[in-house]
Amino acid sequence: RGTVLFSVVFFTFLLPFRYAASVKDGSQYFVLLIVTDGVISDMAQTKESIVNASKLPMSIIIVGVGPAEFDAMVELDGDDVRVSSRGKYAERDIVQFVPFRDYIDRSGNHILSMARLAKDVLAEIPEQFLSYMRARGIKPSPAPPPYTPPTHVLQTQI
């Protein structure tokens, strides 16, 4: 376990997401998964990055592994209080934090605990996606027509 500099991760990975924000039809949305075993060493810069990223078509999932104290991650999650930096608030909640240790099943039922982990990790993505689309007035495209298999008449000669 060492120093965790999330702002460096954001700086590196947010460039393609900025391009995706220029696509106005809603066809671009991304989920950034960060797995970490340490506490954030650059909290102020990380909060500023999240505030800026909240305008982009993306969600951030953070999974904390190991025994570290992840109190700062809970703050980034923004469920109770929207993340802010320098007096500006995030446009929307884009972070979901899940501590992996909460899903270690002591009874041996690993399938059930992994299913719960998957459910909780992905729990906020639908609302985060919809909040991005609603804020930009992006509506779903009409559904394509149902598939109709071609009808072929096979002729056989005897």
Side-chain angles (χ1 to χ4, degrees):
R1 193 170 357 141
T3 303
V4 178
L5 300 172
F6 274 34
S7 63
V8 173
V9 172
F10 290 130
F11 179 78
T12 304
F13 288 100
L14 289 184
L15 291 175
F17 302 134
R18 286 193 181 100
Y19 160 75
S22 68
V23 178
K24 304 295 184 198
D25 65 358
S27 64
Q28 303 289 309
Y29 195 87
F30 300 91
V31 178
L32 173 62
L33 172 64
I34 300 171
V35 180
T36 182
D37 68 349
V39 295
I40 299 174
S41 302
D42 59 347
M43 187 62 157
Q45 297 94 327
T46 297
K47 289 169 77 173
E48 184 172 1
S49 295
I50 289 172
V51 168
N52 293 331
S54 70
K55 299 172 183 72
L56 301 175
M58 67 175 301
S59 294
I60 301 167
I61 297 171
I62 304 171
V63 178
V65 296
E69 285 302 318
F70 293 117
D71 296 342
M73 305 295 183
V74 174
E75 182 181 348
L76 296 179
D77 196 321
D79 286 343
D80 298 324
V81 177
R82 187 76 48 99
V83 175
S84 67
S85 173
R86 300 182 191 193
K88 291 170 47 178
Y89 283 85
E91 183 179 296
R92 59 197 180 87
D93 175 22
I94 64 168
V95 177
Q96 171 72 338
F97 169 70
V98 177
F100 183 76
R101 65 177 164 241
D102 291 357
Y103 299 88
I104 297 172
D105 190 332
R106 310 245 186 266
S107 69
N109 189 345
H110 298 296
I111 293 172
L112 181 59
S113 59
M114 292 302 105
R116 252 182 3 121
L117 173 64
K119 176 184 169 283
D120 290 350
V121 160
L122 300 173
E124 293 182 12
I125 300 297
E127 181 52 39
Q128 291 172 356
F129 171 77
L130 290 173
S131 70
Y132 177 82
M133 298 301 169
R134 282 187 202 116
R136 280 144 191 84
I138 300 171
K139 299 203 181 318
S141 299
Y147 175 73
T148 307
T151 55
H152 295 298
V153 178
L154 294 177
Q155 295 181 359
T156 57
Q157 293 183 3
I158 302 182

